[in-house]
Each structure stands twice: as structure tokens, then as C-alpha cells.
Amino acid sequence: MSDPAAQGVEVADRRFPTEAKYFMAIGVFFALIATIYLIFSDGEWIGVSLLYAAVIVALVCAWFMTTRVQGAQADVELYEEGEGDQTVYLPTRSHWPFLLALGTVVTANGFSVGMWLFVPGVIVFLYALAGFIREGRDRA
Amino acid sequence: MTATREVPPTGVEAQPLVEEPAAPERRLSGFLRWTTSTDHKDVGLSYMITAFVFFLAAGCLALLMRAELADPGQEMVGPGTFNELFTMHGSIMLLVFLSPFAFGIANYCVPLMIGARDMAFPRINLLSYWIYLGGGLSMVFGFVTADGAADFGWFAYTPLSDSVRSPGLGAELWLVGVALLGISGILSALNIVVTVFTMRTRGMTMFRMPILVWNFVVVSVMVLLVFPVLTAAAAMLWTDRNLGSVVYDATAGGQPIIWQHLFWFFGHPEVYILVLPYFGVVTEVFAVFSRRPVYGYKGLVFATCSIGALSLGVWAHHMYATGAVLLPFFGVMTMLIAVPTGVKMFNWLGTMWLGRVRFSTAMTFAIGFLAVFVIGGVTGVILASPALDFHLTDSYFVVAHFHYVLSGGAVFGVFAAIYYWWPKWFGKKLHEGWGHVHFWLNFIGFNLTFFVQFILGLEGMPRRVADYTEASGFRPLNVVSSIGAAVLGVSVLPFLWNAYRTWRRGEPAGDDPWDGQTLEWATSSPPPIGNFPEGLPPVRSERPLWDLKYPDRKATTGADPAARKATR
Amino acid sequence: MTGEPHERRPRWLVPSLSALTAVVISGCDLGLPSPITREGENVTRLWSVFTILALAIVALIIGLIVVVVIRYRRGHRDDIPSQRQYNFPLEITYTVIPLVIVGVLFGLTIPVQENLGSKEGAADVYVEVVGFQWQWQFRYFEDESYEGDPRIVVSGSPEQVPVLVLPVDATVRFRLVAQDVIHSFWVPEFLEKRDLIPGAETDVSPGIDNVVEVETTETGEWTGRCAEYCGLQHAYMDFELRVVDEAEWQSWSSEAADATGEEGT
Ligand SMILES: [Cu+2]
Ligand SMILES: [Cu+2]
């Protein structure tokens, strides 16, 4: 469906990429819902605060998309030129995620099971975290 | 690193290839591949296989429950064990099977469908898989502790789940599992959102993404909004249990109802988190096997977004009977969800309408999905009415309803996905004959099991009961339901045989066995690391591969003149 | 080939719809237990409207699926069909019609749920329903304050479920109190249930309405159940409801009051 008109609209509206508009719409919708709920629910503060928290999350994402994703995605909208950022480093194997998850899981279980699990868990976790970060730093 | 720019050859626009820094193109195998490969396809398969094993386990728990309920009195398990069974059945099916399986599909298909080389954060991807497996196992390990697994139901209402009523390690491990699964889900969702927003190939605008990808965007955003709420609620329950805080303790000034609000603020969207990915799956399947574009694509995207948005404003429809919620607000919000859901159904029908429908196993499961999901949907509207819900809530009517949505809807979607993408995953087609045997056993067993439960609920059978009396008159329908469950259990066997048989001597599938429309069919089966060594077709619509194969049969907004010519 | 996708109602739909409408008017229960309270009668009517609409929608969708399966199967027509993707008037139609249906259903729901929640004036009988793991206790009071000692207390025992005795054609108000975890008070024939939430009767948890009212219309015996999962013996947390005529009520209540008084001293 090569529709030059639609293409034109998207290009003209690049200030707010679709991604940003998406989160803006979520934020505005929840703001509306949260306000209606605030007025009618007679002080049911848990729901009110959760809904407003959702508004904040959505608007922060929208702001981030407006300022950052725009750059990364400019090429996608204009497929005739450029090719997007393809120079991302993508490792194909690493043993750090497994160890980091092992540390996380053992530590979390240690919270409930006991110190004998918690302490080794934390050690594995910290060791793996260091390895994970260093691997990323060295290669990125 | 240098990005090599290539002149696109005619017909196929080559993707600029990137020099892989000392990356081995050779695939790992066995345990090493499982634990260290960050290739999105490997992680995706790990997710799906693990989730499927959990599915079989939770299915066995369900069969035990149905066996116990086939007859009044305690035959096989006492009420204590029964309570563990339904708690773990629900927890595993919802948290350890359905949504991780969907994440598996997302991992495998989303990068392929948007023409990316991998997920945005491959190592985080692998990390979230292993945290998921650890979380799932933590939960299940409850069964081998002295007091057994958690037994407070999958929604763990306080004060039943506090340290007085539910002491024991099983309950603690359940909480640990929930927290870990929450973390894993958040990491996965983040990864999906970032991948979709930053890694799309040239020409792949948001409104050219396949519906499945759209649905994963919506689901991931929902996960990001609600999983933290669950994790926070679980953390507070943990401190209540272990550190003496009294957030949920009514005897010390806390409020048990807080848990319900927090839990359902997660729990209702969770249902859509579970089912939306499979909406996406069947959308792809309907289009491909009807040789049609997705009908009303933009309306469908809008409907998905509305479902996602509305679903965050309806949590308290699970709490009508508490007498503590604003009934009209939640009633109308819940009923409104029926509108975009209805739109989706008509769009699916519109996709097949005028098509050339081919009844492959995947398509059959997708059609079965539509047929049972509509029943789940309309009973949802009934439950949305507070006046009716007062009678129906916490009864078997609800059990039937959400199994029509999740076991009929989502699980049929799971199998549609398996039969549809199996050739891409493993390079071999599953046997269609066995596939149809599987479908019919599954479909019949499913309806037999759950349809009668609507009636049981109406008649007054509460959910989560380990037993019922002879005098209650619930026996005949429970027998029917248990027979259905046995059929449902048996229905997995042809599938397992099919998988084994295909593994041993399946026919090679080729790159594009179904006459696909989206990018994952534009590469080899299974795709190599980096996904598209040959480059990608140009993306000018949401069906790049179709456009490449049938350049003069693009989707039209009005009547299609080419079709008219062809039939005359 | 008709050219465009459009909704086509199967021919059998109209007669079956009118048959179903007849069912509503005659007031069939469609699977619901027949109500034994005034409030329940409204619920039955609402239920039949919802259910018939639901059945009609299911029939429509399944019918359309059947049409697709029969009419648009690929068979040997191995060509490429119409690639038409949008039909805005049709899409608007199938958005607006569900919206209207939902509006109507919501409109019908409101009065019924208000009626279920209304508690005006004085009631004839006041019962405090106390739930605890895994039994019920029914305490009959003289008035709404629920203060002082109850006039009658009915408790169950491991061998015998407690019996809730009520007069017929009377307004009964229940105050629901949980002593440990959440339970739910449900007589299926009331066609409504309400949770017992710990702390609901105190100021600590404001906003929880733990009072329900019913007007009994029929004499007889029924089983009541705990509907909210409450732990080990949840499945066995039943009670019996006995609605009796005026004479029987008088004799029972004076006897029970005497028995309660003796126990108290
Ligand atoms: Cu819900
Ligand atoms: Cu109970």
C-alpha cells in the first residue's frame, strides 16, 4: 500500500513520532478515567493513586519517545533514504545472564528459606552482575 | 564497527549487513545453547518449551481435581491437597505457562516480523528467561516442602494468606515465585517495547507492523504498568508475613481490601496480557489461510489499544460482592470492553469472508478459538452486570467463563501458534492428520468439561470446593465435566506423538510453507543468527512478503477490481 | 460472488429470536434457580434479557463462522480472492451496534442493582451473620444497632449445620461479620451474595457496605454456602435456610429465644 499522502503526513508530523503519540494517548485516557474515578469513588484512594501513577508512567514514556526515539526511528518513516542504526552490538552467547539469574533466584529464595541460601546467592549475584556489566562495557 | 552500505538489487532491498564482531555463526548445541545462547530464537524456544512443560504439569493437577470432583466424598485427595492443587493449577497456568509462552512467541517472532536481527537487549532477554524458570520452579518446589505448596488460591486474598492462616514454606515460596516472575515479565516487556520502537527495518512504520507485533506492544505496555503493582503488593505481603507490618491486617488497623485492589489492578489486565498475544496469533493465521489482508487493520489496532486501555480501569469488577466498590463505574467500563472485542470478532470474520479458507490445523484451532471465545466474551458481559454478578461471582459460572476465555481462547491460540510457526522453528511441518485429531479431541473435551460448569454455577456450586454433597444434585454434571476433562487430557497425546514423529521423520517445510505474508517467512527455516542474510523485501505495507509475491494484488481500500475481473 | 463483505443474518435467526423473546415475557429462569425473594425476581428478569442477547450474539457469530466454513473454503478454487481491506460504513456499524447494546444492558442493570442495594426504613428481622473458619453463627437482634446481647443465637456443630430460620413475606436485614478471613454469604435462591470482610463492621475499613436486605416470598428449605474460598474446610461451610410462615415463626422464635437465654445464664 504505497500511499504517498499517508507517507507525507507521517513525515510532516515527525515532531511527535507514532511511538510518542501512543503513550500520550494512554496518558490522556488514564488522566480522564482517573479523574472520573476520583470524583465518583468517594475516596477510594488505592485505585485513584494507581490510575494517576499510570498517567505519570505513560507521560514519562511519551516524553522519552519524543526526545529520544525520534532520532533512532527517523529513518524508518523515510524508507527511501538511510537505513536506521544497524551498528548495535548483539552478542550471540554469554554465560553471565544465566549466572545473574541464578544469583537472583537463589537470593530471592534465601529471603524465605534462610541465610544458608541467601549468602551464597548474594555472592553469585554480585559476581555475575560484575561480569555482566564488564562484558557489556568491554564489547559495546 | 562499520556498516556496509549496499545498493538494493531490484526486487529485493538488501538489508545493510553488519560485521559481526568475532561472533560465531555456528550454533551451539545442547546445554550450552540453552544456558548461554542469547539469540532471540533460542531464548524464544526455551521460553515456549519450558512453558509447555509447565502447562502439562498444571494440566495434570487439573485432572487430579476433576477426578476428585467426579464423585461426592473424598476419594483421592483430602481438602488440604485439593486446595494446593487448584492454587498451583491457577498460578502455573496464568503466571508460568500462558504469559511466558506468549513471551516466547514474542521473542521468536517479533524481531523476525519487524525485520530486526535480534531483540534490543539479547543478554537481558536470556536473563529474564532464567529468572522466569527460577521463579516457576520456586513456586512448584512448594510441593516438596513439609507443609506442601501454597494453598490460598492464586489470588492469595488476605487475611487468608497471612502468616497465621497460611504458615509454611510453600506459601513463602509462592510469594518468591510471584516476585521473580514479576521481575522477569517486566524485563521481557521492556525488551519487547524497546525492540519494536527502535529496531524496525526500513519502511516498517508502526502502522505497517503485523497485528501480532501491535498486540505485543500493547501487552508489554500493560505489563509495565501493572506488574510493578503486583510485585509491590507481594512485597508488602512478604513484610506482613515476615517483618510484622500490618498493611493488610484488620485486627491491627490495616485493611484486607487493599490487597484486593492492588491484586486486581494487576489481575484484570493480566487476563488481557494473557489473551491479547493469542488474538494476535489468530489474526495472522486467519489472514494467511484465507489469502486475505487483515480486514480493517487500523480498526483492529485501535480496538486492541482500547482493550488494553480500558482493562486498567475495570479491576474492581472482581470485587462487586465485597460491597466496597463503585458499581456503576466498573460496570460500564467492563461492558465497554465488549465493544472493541466485538469489533475484533467482526474483523476476523471479515478477514475470512470472501477468502479462500484453507483448513490447516493452525486455521482450525484459530476458528475453534473464535467459536469458544465468543462464549467467553458474552458471559463476560453478563458477569460485568453487578446485579447478575452478585449471584454468579465465586461460583462455577465464573470458572466456566474464564476457562472459555483462557483455556478455550488462549490455549487454542497457543496451539494455533505451534502448528503455524512449527515449520519456521524447526524446519519441518507437523503432520496435519494428527493435528486434526488433536484439535477435535481438544475441542470436544474442552466444551464437555466447561460448558456444564456454567449450569453448575447457576445452580449454586461455589468455586474452589474440594467436595460437594450428594443432596446438592451437582453430581451428574460434575461427572460430565470430569469425562470431558479426561478427553481433554487425552487430546495432548496425539500432539506429543505428532511432535515426536515430526522430529524423527518430518518432511522439510521450506522457507514459506503457508504462502505467508509477513517477514518471518522471507528467511530460511529456521532462520540463521542475524535472521536475514539474504536481505529483506521492501516494506511498503503490512504484508511485505505478499507484496513481493503478488505485486499486482495489493490490499485495496474500496472494492477490489482485480478480484472482480478474476471471477468473471 | 456478491463482491463486498457484509453481514448476513442466517435465515433461521429471526424466528428463533422471536421464540426467545416469548421466553422472556413468560419469565423463564434459563438455568437460574427460581428466586425466593422479591429482589431475586428482578434479577431473574434481567438475567433472561442478558442471556437471550448473549445467545443471539453467540448464534450470530457461530452462524457467520459456519457460512465462512461452507462458502469460502478454498477447495480447488486456488486463486487469489478480493484483497479489499476496509469498508468504513460497515466497520462503523459493527462498532456502534455493540455500543448501543452495551448502553441498553447497562441501563437495564442500574435499577436492578439499586434495588438490590436499597435498605430503606425498618426491617422486620435483623440478623447478624457471623462467619469464621469454618462455621456460621446467626444472631438475631431487635434493631439495627446490633448492640447488647442478641435475642437468639443459632450455632452449628461439626455434626449439624446451623439453621437460619426466617419468616415469610418479611423484610430481613443481614449484617455480615467475619471473625478471621473473608467468607461470602450465599443462598443461591437469593440470587445474590455478599462477602464477609474482617474489619468491615468497624471504622478501620470505611466504605465497605456489609449489610444486605431481602424480602422473603416463599416458604421452604434451602442450602446456603460459603462462596469465598476461606481455607481448609471451605467446601463444608454450609448452612440451612428455612423460611416459615408467621405461626411457625412465632413459636420458633420464642423457643429459640428461651434456649439462647438459658445458655447465656
Ligand atoms: Cu477482570
Ligand atoms: Cu469459604
Side-chain angles (χ1 to χ4, degrees):
Chain A
M1 203 180 70
S2 72
D3 188 351
Q7 196 66 30
V9 171
E10 273 171 318
V11 173
D13 214 14
R14 281 263 299 287
R15 205 154 37 91
F16 294 116
T18 317
E19 291 86 343
K21 284 189 227 149
Y22 181 72
F23 278 106
M24 279 179 211
I26 296 175
V28 171
F29 177 78
F30 286 142
L32 187 75
I33 295 297
T35 309
I36 294 174
Y37 191 62
L38 174 68
I39 294 167
F40 288 103
S41 75
D42 191 25
E44 197 280 283
W45 50 270
I46 309 160
V48 170
S49 35
L50 288 174
L51 286 171
Y52 277 112
V55 175
I56 293 167
V57 172
L59 292 182
V60 167
C61 290
W63 167 77
F64 183 80
M65 299 294 158
T66 311
T67 54
R68 303 296 299 278
V69 171
Q70 191 188 9
Q73 276 304 293
D75 297 322
V76 165
E77 313 274 331
L78 281 168
Y79 58 81
E80 265 77 20
E81 43 187 280
E83 62 277 326
D85 186 11
Q86 287 292 322
T87 55
V88 190
Y89 165 62
L90 301 170
T92 51
R93 55 152 73 160
S94 166
H95 56 276
W96 294 114
F98 173 73
L99 286 178
L100 189 55
L102 185 71
T104 311
V105 171
V106 173
T107 307
N109 277 286
F111 271 114
S112 292
V113 176
M115 274 298 156
W116 61 272
L117 209 55
F118 184 78
V119 172
V122 171
I123 293 170
V124 175
F125 177 81
L126 291 176
Y127 169 69
L129 188 64
F132 193 93
I133 292 169
R134 285 185 56 173
E135 184 184 54
R137 196 188 57 193
D138 293 349
R139 293 212 208 149
Chain B
M1 257 175 300
T2 49
T4 38
R5 204 175 278 262
E6 284 178 20
V7 183
T10 41
V12 179
E13 252 177 59
Q15 189 70 11
L17 294 171
V18 182
E19 244 178 84
E20 190 67 37
E25 282 296 310
R26 187 178 56 85
R27 272 193 194 277
L28 302 158
S29 61
F31 184 76
L32 262 189
R33 178 171 169 193
W34 188 30
T35 48
T36 69
S37 169
T38 58
D39 182 35
H40 72 97
K41 299 180 285 297
D42 289 341
V43 179
L45 284 180
S46 298
Y47 256 113
M48 287 187 275
I49 294 168
T50 309
F52 199 83
V53 171
F54 277 112
F55 167 64
L56 295 180
C60 291
L61 303 184
L63 289 179
L64 275 176
M65 283 191 280
R66 278 318 321 169
E68 170 61 45
L69 286 174
D71 218 27
Q74 299 171 16
E75 270 98 24
M76 311 182 43
V77 293
T81 313
F82 188 91
N83 296 343
E84 288 172 35
L85 290 179
F86 72 68
T87 301
M88 295 308 286
H89 168 77
S91 306
I92 295 175
M93 285 297 192
L94 297 174
L95 300 169
V96 197
F97 162 54
L98 273 175
S99 78
F101 194 92
F103 281 137
I105 298 177
N107 266 310
Y108 204 105
C109 295
V110 165
L112 286 168
M113 284 180 146
I114 61 173
R117 300 173 60 245
D118 205 308
M119 297 288 276
F121 309 116
R123 293 185 308 157
I124 302 263
N125 204 14
L126 184 60
L127 173 67
S128 68
Y129 165 73
W130 280 103
I131 293 181
Y132 148 66
L133 179 53
L137 288 178
S138 303
M139 212 177 238
V140 174
F141 271 143
F143 276 119
V144 296
T145 59
D147 303 309
D151 62 352
F152 37 54
W154 86 277
F155 39 80
Y157 272 4
T158 52
L160 183 62
S161 57
D162 68 15
S163 54
V164 181
R165 274 89 192 191
S166 297
L169 198 50
E172 289 287 330
L173 290 176
W174 184 89
L175 274 179
V176 169
V178 165
L180 287 171
L181 293 166
I183 293 168
S184 158
I186 291 167
L187 290 177
S188 287
L190 210 56
N191 212 341
I192 292 170
V193 173
V194 175
T195 304
V196 173
F197 283 1
T198 64
M199 308 265 296
R200 303 196 306 274
T201 188
R202 272 187 285 169
M204 183 64 77
T205 59
M206 291 279 278
F207 279 94
R208 285 180 190 158
M209 300 190 308
I211 291 289
L212 181 75
V213 177
W214 260 111
N215 285 24
F216 276 120
V217 170
V218 174
V219 162
S220 303
V221 170
M222 286 163 73
V223 166
L224 293 179
L225 291 173
V226 303
F227 269 43
V229 177
L230 173 71
T231 309
M236 286 191 281
L237 183 55
W238 190 86
T239 60
D240 267 20
R241 289 173 60 95
N242 292 292
L243 304 179
S245 65
V246 291
V247 180
Y248 308 119
D249 186 354
T251 58
Q255 294 182 22
I257 203 97
I258 295 177
W259 171 266
Q260 296 193 22
H261 278 294
L262 294 175
F263 184 85
W264 289 118
F265 194 83
F266 149 81
H268 183 82
E270 168 73 357
V271 177
Y272 285 91
I273 290 167
L274 298 176
V275 83
L276 280 178
Y278 304 104
F279 281 9
V281 168
V282 298
T283 310
E284 303 300 324
V285 169
F286 283 142
V288 165
F289 292 104
S290 306
R291 289 203 166 155
R292 293 258 301 144
V294 172
Y295 187 70
Y297 172 90
K298 284 182 184 153
L300 201 51
V301 170
F302 186 71
T304 308
C305 296
S306 331
I307 290 178
L310 285 170
S311 74
L312 262 84
V314 302
W315 71 92
H317 64 208
H318 299 265
M319 301 161 58
Y320 288 153
T322 57
V325 300
L326 182 62
L327 299 176
F329 177 85
F330 290 105
V332 77
M333 290 288 284
T334 308
M335 286 188 192
L336 276 179
I337 294 192
V339 176
T341 312
V343 168
K344 274 170 165 287
M345 297 211 167
F346 286 112
N347 279 339
W348 289 328
L349 285 163
T351 304
M352 292 187 281
W353 204 260
L354 300 184
R356 297 287 180 267
V357 178
R358 191 182 141 197
F359 300 100
S360 65
T361 310
M363 185 64 165
T364 318
F365 267 106
I367 293 175
F369 162 92
L370 187 52
V372 297
F373 192 82
V374 63
I375 299 176
V378 294
T379 48
V381 177
I382 293 174
L383 286 165
S385 158
L388 298 176
D389 184 76
F390 287 146
H391 177 61
L392 303 172
T393 188
D394 278 327
S395 79
Y396 255 85
F397 190 91
V398 175
V399 177
H401 157 71
F402 66 71
H403 279 93
Y404 263 85
V405 173
L406 293 175
S407 176
V411 176
F412 280 26
V414 166
F415 284 119
I418 288 177
Y419 282 94
Y420 181 54
W421 280 298
W422 190 281
K424 185 51 64 184
W425 298 337
F426 301 110
K428 292 173 178 178
K429 259 182 175 174
L430 285 168
H431 189 268
E432 287 289 307
W434 283 111
H436 279 89
V437 172
H438 173 202
F439 170 78
W440 284 109
L441 282 175
N442 198 335
F443 188 77
I444 293 166
F446 168 79
N447 282 296
L448 213 53
T449 310
F450 295 110
F451 194 81
V452 292
Q453 294 185 356
F454 282 122
I455 305 166
L456 280 172
L458 290 175
E459 286 177 353
M461 179 159 166
R463 68 191 285 195
R464 299 176 158 179
V465 286
D467 199 359
Y468 51 90
T469 56
E470 187 73 65
S472 64
F474 298 148
R475 184 180 188 168
L477 291 181
N478 270 299
V479 171
V480 173
S481 183
S482 293
I483 293 172
V487 177
L488 202 51
V490 168
S491 79
V492 182
L493 299 179
F495 170 70
L496 293 177
W497 162 249
N498 200 348
Y500 173 76
R501 180 192 168 281
T502 306
W503 173 56
R504 298 294 294 183
R505 52 188 158 97
E507 295 275 311
D511 296 354
D512 181 17
W514 310 122
D515 197 7
Q517 305 180 344
T518 41
L519 288 177
E520 78 270 30
W521 304 105
T523 181
S524 60
S525 307
I529 290 173
N531 291 345
F532 298 102
E534 313 282 309
L536 284 158
V539 183
R540 298 288 185 274
S541 78
E542 72 270 9
R543 301 191 297 169
L545 186 59
W546 175 273
D547 292 346
L548 184 72
K549 290 187 286 192
Y550 308 102
D552 52 342
R553 296 307 305 273
K554 301 214 160 79
T556 58
T557 311
D560 185 355
R564 214 153 264 175
K565 221 185 321 164
T567 40
R568 265 176 203 165
Chain C
M1 184 123 162
T2 44
E4 309 312 328
H6 60 279
E7 251 176 88
R8 173 173 299 220
R9 279 165 203 277
R11 232 167 276 130
W12 45 265
L13 200 64
V14 175
S16 47
L17 267 182
S18 33
L20 285 168
T21 320
V23 172
V24 186
I25 294 161
S26 64
C28 177
D29 303 335
L30 289 167
L32 272 194
S34 48
I36 56 168
T37 62
R38 188 76 62 225
E39 292 79 3
E41 287 164 12
N42 297 326
V43 175
T44 310
R45 228 162 295 142
L46 187 68
W47 162 255
S48 52
V49 174
F50 267 74
T51 312
I52 283 164
L53 252 169
L55 290 173
I57 291 165
V58 171
L60 172 68
I61 299 287
I62 304 252
L64 288 171
I65 292 175
V66 170
V67 173
V68 163
V69 166
I70 293 170
R71 216 169 129 195
Y72 298 114
R73 58 183 317 138
R74 191 171 297 177
H76 37 261
R77 289 179 306 172
D78 211 9
D79 60 338
I80 293 171
S82 164
Q83 297 296 302
R84 177 170 194 174
Q85 191 172 20
Y86 292 99
N87 181 342
F88 294 112
L90 178 61
E91 287 175 63
I92 297 294
T93 311
Y94 62 56
T95 311
V96 170
I97 291 178
L99 207 56
V100 171
I101 294 177
V102 159
V104 170
L105 290 180
F106 183 66
L108 292 172
T109 290
I110 290 292
V112 181
Q113 94 198 17
E114 306 231 302
N115 175 260
L116 284 173
S118 77
K119 297 171 280 264
E120 268 156 37
D124 300 317
V125 182
Y126 296 94
V127 184
E128 187 177 66
V129 175
V130 182
F132 50 95
Q133 286 177 323
W134 290 275
Q135 267 294 0
W136 301 93
Q137 190 178 59
F138 303 109
R139 301 177 182 161
Y140 293 70
F141 283 86
E142 298 292 349
D143 58 36
E144 194 138 28
S145 65
Y146 298 100
E147 269 161 18
D149 287 334
R151 202 166 68 86
I152 303 172
V153 176
V154 178
S155 305
S157 69
E159 297 79 42
Q160 186 61 49
V161 297
V163 184
L164 171 63
V165 181
L166 298 176
V168 74
D169 294 324
T171 320
V172 185
R173 205 165 288 173
F174 299 103
R175 184 169 99 131
L176 309 174
V177 176
Q179 282 186 344
D180 38 38
V181 303
I182 300 173
H183 305 271
S184 192
F185 175 71
W186 187 28
V187 178
E189 284 75 11
F190 281 180
L191 302 184
E192 62 173 313
K193 66 173 72 69
R194 184 62 64 89
D195 292 350
L196 289 68
I197 296 178
E201 72 283 5
T202 65
D203 310 336
V204 176
S205 294
I208 300 180
D209 180 7
N210 65 333
V211 179
V212 282
E213 185 181 284
V214 298
E215 192 188 331
T216 55
T217 55
E218 235 149 289
T219 56
E221 285 170 22
W222 296 274
T223 308
R225 299 190 178 89
C226 174
E228 185 65 78
Y229 174 63
C230 56
L232 189 64
Q233 305 282 349
H234 164 62
Y236 302 99
M237 197 170 150
D238 291 354
F239 61 92
E240 193 185 319
L241 169 69
R242 196 177 297 157
V243 183
V244 296
D245 59 31
E246 188 56 33
E248 214 176 315
W249 165 252
Q250 291 302 345
S251 67
W252 177 84
S253 59
S254 59
E255 242 172 70
D258 291 347
T260 305
E262 271 166 37
E263 241 167 67
T265 50

